[in-house]
Amino acid sequence: GKLANKKLMALVGKLLSFVDKADPILHTPADPVSFPLSQEDKQVIADMLWSIQPPQLLAAGAAWPSASGMAAPQWGIKKKIFLYRTEEGTYEVIINPTYEPVLVGKEDLITGWEGCFSVPKARGLVLRYAKVKTTHQNEQGETITRIISDWPARVWQHETDHTNGLLYDDEKESDAGKCLEFVPTD
């Protein structure tokens, strides 16, 4: 994680621009990433790591000054990659993410407020799984599986949904990921 981020940061990152909510890339499943990473994929990751930093978010006219996560499609890149802010405040590169619910009983689905750089000037009260089993690959192509819950699980589901062409305010067939209330913040 951290060592790979430093190596990728050695590539000069360029500022990425957010795509508009109506852009089809936000509503189309992204392409899986193959390994070893291509030079293009390494550059995309370096650009993402650069662009998610607060000064760059400000320069890009982002709705918020910091991010818990950000997916490649939000920047117009059709790849199954997202950045995930760790408890230490650094960003972990998540490639080819998936998740499945860990069902434990009556609290399987919980509500919480979410914001999204692709749905600016609004917040949504969204139903999410309280606990999920996640699987992804790191920059070296190693498969990592973990169980996460609460806020980290919410962020994971939100960002993985982006790589699957879903926004939190889209209509959904299942209860998980369904927006129960949508509130403009402007």
Side-chain angles (χ1 to χ4, degrees):
K2 290 182 185 175
L3 178 62
N5 282 354
K6 284 184 172 60
K7 285 182 185 174
L8 288 168
M9 288 298 281
L11 291 171
V12 177
K14 73 176 188 330
L15 183 62
L16 298 169
S17 298
F18 294 105
V19 296
D20 185 77
K21 182 181 183 212
D23 193 304
I25 201 165
L26 291 174
H27 307 280
T28 307
D31 298 325
V33 176
S34 59
F35 290 89
L37 291 176
S38 68
Q39 197 58 39
E40 175 192 351
D41 289 336
K42 291 176 184 177
Q43 186 63 55
V44 162
I45 292 167
D47 293 345
M48 289 174 67
L49 287 166
W50 171 256
S51 297
I52 201 168
Q53 302 303 319
Q56 281 68 258
L57 289 174
L58 181 65
W64 290 279
S66 65
S68 296
M70 192 79 67
Q74 295 179 272
W75 283 305
I77 301 162
K78 194 179 172 195
K79 294 183 181 285
K80 285 190 177 281
I81 303 171
F82 73 78
L83 302 179
Y84 181 75
R85 189 168 61 202
T86 66
E87 290 179 6
E88 295 80 34
T90 59
Y91 286 95
E92 183 178 1
V93 177
I94 306 297
I95 302 171
N96 300 326
T98 62
Y99 67 87
E100 60 187 66
V102 175
L103 303 177
V104 293
K106 63 181 177 143
E107 296 285 317
D108 288 341
L109 288 169
I110 55 174
T111 58
W113 290 98
E114 296 181 18
C116 181
F117 288 88
S118 299
V119 187
K121 300 182 179 169
R123 293 214 181 266
L125 186 62
V126 182
L127 263 176
R128 297 280 185 192
Y129 292 113
K131 193 175 202 179
V132 291
K133 178 181 178 184
T134 67
T135 303
H136 74 283
Q137 291 169 289
N138 63 16
E139 303 96 322
Q140 292 75 42
E142 299 163 329
T143 299
I144 298 168
T145 300
R146 58 175 77 125
I147 306 265
I148 56 175
S149 57
D150 305 317
W151 180 252
R154 176 171 297 280
V155 172
W156 188 282
Q157 291 167 81
H158 180 110
E159 299 307 332
T160 300
D161 283 357
H162 274 302
T163 69
N164 291 324
L166 299 170
L167 299 178
Y168 78 80
D169 65 335
D170 288 342
E171 288 292 319
K172 311 230 178 26
E173 287 186 25
S174 84
D175 284 342
K178 192 173 277 184
C179 184
L180 304 176
E181 188 176 340
F182 185 79
V183 180
T185 57
D186 214 17

